Amino acid sequence: MSIYGYVRVSSTDQNEERQVIALQEAAVSEKNIFMDKQSGKDFDRPNYKKLIRKLKAGDLLYVLGIDRLGRNYEEIQRQWCVLTKEIGIDICVLDMPLLDTRNGKDLMGTFIADLVLQILSFVAQSECENIKKRQAQGIAAAKAKGIKFGRPEKQVPDDFGKIVKAWEQKKLSFAEVLKRCNMSEATFYRRLREYRFLQDNKKA
């Protein structure tokens, strides 16, 4: 029997240390810990796939929490079935002792584990959806206050009109125009359209 551990964090700036320490305390060697820094919305993760290829019947897999395995209710259920029934390994969820397939191999034990799994995987997906909802609400509230997202808009120089006129009269090369405006070609043309639109409105 080989003992493995799986660690997942949602992004590269999240700290995986707590999960790694918990797995090492459960006697999982460092070389047998597989980690993905990726969303839990599905199981299309490179190191999870490597882990699946390594596992064989009788092995033991540790995860700290069911949400570390994934956050999609149906996907968690399906992967649990693949791991425990198709491959034939045992899984131990450290944060939830009832989810340890080594215990209660009888009908009642299996029923309890399946029930706990369904509840926890549902909670994991619900929390994921709540996080997205809170993020959307936060962004909407920020926009309502005038907070802008993304890169700040490139400001045109004070003498933009003179630069454009000199360019139109072929007194400036396009390269010199971009240099003076400190803009990319795409940004210059966008600001030029805005400038001409404002000029036309003034004339109207």
Side-chain angles (χ1 to χ4, degrees):
M1 179 189 75
S2 298
I3 301 175
Y4 295 92
Y6 181 68
V7 171
R8 185 189 65 78
V9 290
S10 297
S11 60
T12 54
D13 61 346
Q14 288 187 327
N15 195 328
E16 69 279 0
E17 186 177 357
R18 188 173 80 93
Q19 294 179 63
V20 173
I21 290 172
L23 295 178
Q24 289 174 338
E25 288 176 349
V28 183
S29 66
E30 188 176 345
K31 67 182 179 66
N32 281 352
I33 295 176
F34 290 75
M35 178 170 59
D36 283 307
K37 294 192 174 185
Q38 197 170 330
S39 165
K41 64 180 181 180
D42 57 45
F43 284 82
D44 187 18
R45 310 174 211 141
N47 285 318
Y48 181 78
K49 289 179 177 179
K50 285 182 185 177
L51 171 63
I52 290 292
R53 290 195 291 269
K54 280 265 189 183
L55 293 170
K56 59 185 183 298
D59 287 346
L60 173 61
L61 174 64
Y62 282 102
V63 291
L64 181 58
I66 197 67
D67 61 330
R68 298 304 89 202
L69 194 59
R71 285 191 177 274
N72 181 296
Y73 177 77
E74 291 182 357
E75 285 288 314
I76 294 172
Q77 297 283 325
R78 192 172 69 82
Q79 286 299 313
W80 190 275
C81 182
V82 167
L83 294 168
T84 59
K85 294 182 172 62
E86 294 181 20
I87 299 177
I89 69 163
D90 279 311
I91 305 176
C92 176
V93 179
L94 294 170
D95 277 356
M96 179 53 63
L98 283 173
L99 277 181
D100 185 343
T101 59
R102 295 170 298 178
N103 302 329
K105 293 283 187 181
D106 59 6
L107 185 62
M108 180 57 73
T110 302
F111 171 75
I112 292 172
D114 285 347
L115 188 61
V116 172
L117 173 64
Q118 288 186 41
I119 294 170
L120 291 181
S121 55
F122 173 78
V123 169
Q125 180 168 335
S126 296
E127 178 59 20
C128 183
E129 291 173 355
N130 286 336
I131 289 170
K132 289 180 181 177
K133 190 181 293 183
R134 288 195 295 270
Q135 287 174 338
Q137 289 171 342
I139 291 170
K143 285 182 176 179
K145 292 179 180 178
I147 298 172
K148 294 183 178 179
F149 294 86
R151 291 184 297 179
E153 189 73 31
K154 180 73 73 174
Q155 296 299 312
V156 297
D158 293 337
D159 59 346
F160 186 72
K162 291 181 180 179
I163 294 171
V164 170
K165 188 174 182 180
W167 172 61
E168 291 174 335
Q169 294 174 345
K170 302 189 185 303
K171 294 179 181 179
L172 283 177
S173 69
F174 188 56
E176 183 64 24
V177 168
L178 295 182
K179 184 178 179 182
R180 289 196 184 187
C181 294
N182 189 26
M183 293 177 183
S184 67
E185 183 176 337
T187 301
F188 171 76
Y189 278 118
R190 186 173 69 253
R191 301 318 295 265
L192 179 61
R193 286 193 298 272
E194 293 170 355
Y195 170 76
R196 285 174 172 166
F197 176 78
L198 289 173
Q199 294 303 307
D200 290 342
N201 281 350
K202 286 179 181 179
K203 293 175 184 177

